[in-house]
Structure formats: structure tokens, C-alpha cells
């Protein structure tokens, strides 16, 4: 998982699933992430230390848009987005 306000390259959490993931869902109103594997298995993770875990959808979209703009502005002309 990435906190794109901190880095778009270095994730804040990693986990080797052991199976190719086919879907991912973030919980609405609870700090969980559910991952589905191609073999039909589900893994549920509880996230901790998330400062804004109850932002509205509009607030999340605004923060995402602002973070993307800030990262694009850091790029040198002709440099690809990371």
C-alpha cells in the first residue's frame, strides 16, 4: 500500500500474497483492505495509523487530485510520471 502524499514509489506496507491477486477492495467506514486471489482465496487486512481514515469520498478525491498535481509539478520536462 502506498501513501501517495509521502511517496509514489516507496510503499508504506508490503505483503507477499503467495498467489496472484485478482481484486482489491478498501472498506467503507472501516480501516480494512480485502484482497482476492485468482485461486478464490480472500485475505483481509486491518490497517493502522491512518490519519484520515474517515474522510468523505469528496475529501479523498480532492487529496488524490492535489497529490497527483504536486507530483506532476516535481517532474522535469520530458520526464515520465512515476
Amino acid at each position: 500500500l502506498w501513501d501517495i502524499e509521502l511517496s509514489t514509489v516507496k510503499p508504506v506496507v508490503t505483503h507477499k500474497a503467495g498467489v496472484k491477486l485478482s481484486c482489491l477492495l478498501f472498506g467503507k467506514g472501516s480501516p480494512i483492505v480485502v484482497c482476492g486471489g485468482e485461486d478464490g482465496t480472500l485475505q483481509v487486512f486491518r490497517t493502522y495509523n491512518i490519519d484520515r481514515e474517515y474522510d468523505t469520498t469528496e475529501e479523498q478525491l480532492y487529496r488524490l487530485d492535489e497529490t497527483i498535481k504536486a507530483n506532476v509539478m516535481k517532474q522535469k520536462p520530458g520526464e515520465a510520471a512515476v
Side-chain angles (χ1 to χ4, degrees):
L1 293 176
W2 286 263
D3 182 338
I4 59 174
E5 287 184 329
L6 299 176
S7 173
T8 56
V9 178
K10 184 179 178 185
V12 293
V13 176
T14 60
H15 174 72
K16 185 159 179 74
V19 64
K20 187 174 180 180
L21 299 179
S22 59
C23 61
L24 177 99
L25 177 67
F26 289 89
K28 292 182 180 183
S30 61
I32 62 167
V33 179
V34 179
C35 303
E38 283 190 334
D39 63 354
T41 60
L42 289 177
Q43 296 183 37
V44 180
F45 300 94
R46 163 84 165 77
T47 58
Y48 293 92
N49 300 322
I50 297 177
D51 294 336
R52 299 179 186 103
E53 59 186 84
Y54 299 109
D55 282 354
T56 65
T57 301
E58 292 79 18
E59 290 168 328
Q60 291 177 41
L61 290 171
Y62 175 79
R63 286 180 42 234
L64 176 61
D65 189 48
E66 291 300 307
T67 301
I68 290 170
K69 286 179 190 175
N71 280 296
V72 169
M73 297 302 286
K74 291 178 189 177
Q75 294 174 21
K76 297 174 186 167
E79 183 178 60
V82 177

